[in-house]
Amino acid sequence: MKNIVLIISLFVASFLSAQELLPPPPEIEITAEKKALVDELIKVTNFEKYVNSYCKPIVLEYAKQNNWDDNKTKQILENSNFKFFNRILYYTFKDDSKENLKELIKSFKQINQKRKPDEFLIPNNFQMQKDMTQFISGLVQGQLLINK
């Protein structure tokens, strides 16, 4: 009986020691200069207004479907903040060169120059849209409230 317990113990110990403990993913960093360029791109494309105008109707519809009172709806809308989403934009553009970001800014300035503020073209891709969906999900669940 002792031999069986010993064999099982060795088996379990070897199995556990063979498992690699994965380190947490590294924090994605963006240089201050690139951050300033992405901030400028956000400003040039009026991206903050886009995110807010995209989110508000979805939050209002969710509030209606879930019978939220006016106070809860107002709290979610007032306390939601674009700064939670703009980090995603920093990550999206972290691998772009400064020259590429400057070229994007120049291009979007030129494209949006004659457009109305609510008709601006914005940079967007599948990942950003997926992140926007997750952002809204966190928003309606109250995870992104500044003041609870």
Side-chain angles (χ1 to χ4, degrees):
M1 183 70 171
K2 289 182 181 179
N3 290 340
I4 294 175
V5 171
L6 181 63
I7 292 173
I8 292 174
S9 299
L10 289 174
F11 177 72
V12 170
S14 66
F15 178 75
L16 291 175
S17 67
Q19 301 299 313
E20 291 183 30
L21 297 176
L22 298 175
E27 187 74 27
I28 298 176
E29 295 182 16
I30 185 169
T31 65
E33 189 174 0
K34 279 189 179 180
K35 184 179 182 290
L37 289 170
V38 173
D39 287 339
E40 186 176 350
L41 182 62
I42 290 169
K43 185 178 178 183
V44 165
T45 58
N46 215 357
F47 203 87
E48 183 173 355
K49 183 177 179 182
Y50 166 73
V51 171
N52 290 328
S53 64
Y54 182 84
C55 293
K56 186 176 180 178
I58 296 171
V59 170
L60 291 173
E61 182 61 31
Y62 187 87
K64 183 179 174 183
Q65 290 175 354
N66 291 285
N67 299 320
W68 285 0
D69 63 7
D70 291 340
N71 289 334
K72 183 173 181 175
T73 305
K74 184 178 177 183
Q75 180 186 28
I76 295 288
L77 290 174
E78 286 180 355
N79 286 309
S80 62
N81 194 323
F82 181 71
K83 74 177 181 178
F84 293 115
F85 189 76
N86 65 3
R87 282 183 291 169
I88 295 168
L89 297 176
Y90 299 144
Y91 297 153
T92 300
F93 293 108
K94 74 174 175 43
D95 293 328
D96 288 315
S97 67
K98 290 180 253 179
E99 293 75 24
N100 189 30
L101 288 171
K102 289 176 183 177
E103 196 63 37
L104 278 172
I105 292 166
K106 180 180 172 185
S107 297
F108 277 106
K109 272 184 184 177
Q110 185 178 13
I111 289 170
N112 289 329
Q113 190 174 26
K114 296 180 182 177
R115 292 178 175 268
K116 296 176 185 176
D118 58 342
E119 295 177 352
F120 276 14
L121 292 178
I122 59 166
N124 203 349
N125 62 23
F126 176 75
Q127 185 61 46
M128 289 169 67
Q129 194 62 39
K130 182 179 168 188
D131 292 339
M132 181 103 62
T133 303
Q134 290 175 341
F135 175 74
I136 293 170
S137 176
L139 189 65
V140 296
Q141 293 173 15
Q143 295 172 352
L144 303 176
L145 291 180
I146 298 169
N147 302 316
K148 290 191 177 185

